[in-house]
Amino acid sequence: MTLLIFEYDPLTEITRNQVAIRNKIRRGGDWGHFSRTTDDALLQVSITMYLSMVNIYKMNIYKQFTFDAAHFLPKVPEGHKCRAMHGHTYHITVFVSGPVMEDAGWVIDFSEIKTVCKPVVDRLDHTLLNEIPGLENPTAENVARWLWRQFKEKIPGLQKIELKETPTSGVTYEGD
Ligand SMILES: Nc1nc2c(c(=O)[nH]1)N=C([C@H](O)[C@H](O)COP(=O)(O)OP(=O)(O)OP(=O)(O)O)CN2
């Protein structure tokens, strides 16, 4: 039952219905092609009640990691500052999305995320990233994709990775 519900994605559907209903109310009159609005509203109410009864609202949780590494960008033009080797303290945020399991009261144990991610992050810590297979051109984008590929199979519900190279520069990635 739960699986069916998430294939249908009722939360998205509810939002869509709410927007349609709100737009309709704003416009006033002419219900025209919103002849199904009453059905939609009833559907919305019943899905909301069902979800609150079985407590399976989706939530997004996250776990953060940091590592320090050196890198240089071999493909930038001569004279670009990032052609020279330099270092960053990288900040990674791993987002996981899913229903809150009724018994446990959580989406997934934070420590399960850590069990998967920490060894991968440790492989990068205090290295020259360019020497890691797959990271020969370690832009933030390529590091984020590399991390995604390490985590994807092992973290059900992996939703997004954020990787910050500096306090002002970073990337978010939601998979291929
Ligand atoms: N799209 C990308 N652009 C740049 C990358 C990257 O990975 N992807 N990387 C760099 C450099 O590694 C650089 O160290 C970080 O860039 P930048 O934001 O310019 O760093 P600053 O410390 O100079 O930032 P300020 O906060 O603006 O001082 C370059 N570009």
Side-chain angles (χ1 to χ4, degrees), residues 42-109:
L42 285 172
L43 177 68
Q44 175 188 342
V45 168
S46 45
I47 290 173
T48 307
M49 283 173 63
Y50 177 76
L51 289 175
S52 61
M53 272 159 51
V54 296
N55 189 23
I56 55 172
Y57 278 106
K58 260 195 211 177
M59 286 202 192
N60 304 319
I61 64 166
Y62 63 87
K63 181 82 184 157
Q64 297 187 308
F65 304 89
T66 62
F67 70 94
D68 299 295
H71 79 157
F72 60 93
L73 300 184
K75 300 196 177 176
V76 294
E78 282 296 339
H80 191 291
K81 64 181 176 180
C82 296
R83 214 178 155 92
M85 193 186 306
H86 59 283
H88 297 289
T89 296
Y90 289 85
H91 290 256
I92 304 168
T93 308
V94 177
F95 293 86
V96 178
S97 165
V100 177
M101 288 187 288
E102 199 166 356
D103 288 347
W106 63 34
V107 175
I108 180 176
D109 189 344

Side-chain angles (χ1 to χ4, degrees), residues 51 74 79 89 105 120-121 131 142:
L51 289 175
T89 296
V120 175
V121 174
E131 293 177 345
N142 285 342

Side-chain angles (χ1 to χ4, degrees), residues 4-23:
L4 279 177
I5 278 176
F6 280 100
E7 273 170 23
Y8 172 60
D9 199 356
L11 296 184
T12 305
E13 194 58 33
I14 286 168
T15 309
R16 202 178 293 137
N17 287 336
Q18 281 172 339
V19 169
I21 291 165
R22 197 182 53 217
N23 288 346

Side-chain angles (χ1 to χ4, degrees), residues 104-138:
W106 63 34
V107 175
I108 180 176
D109 189 344
F110 290 128
S111 69
E112 270 188 58
I113 304 174
K114 186 173 172 182
T115 302
V116 170
C117 299
K118 186 72 168 54
V120 175
V121 174
D122 286 348
R123 275 176 60 198
L124 304 182
D125 194 31
H126 286 77
T127 63
L128 173 59
L129 294 179
N130 304 65
E131 293 177 345
I132 307 274
L135 289 180
E136 292 79 6
N137 180 26

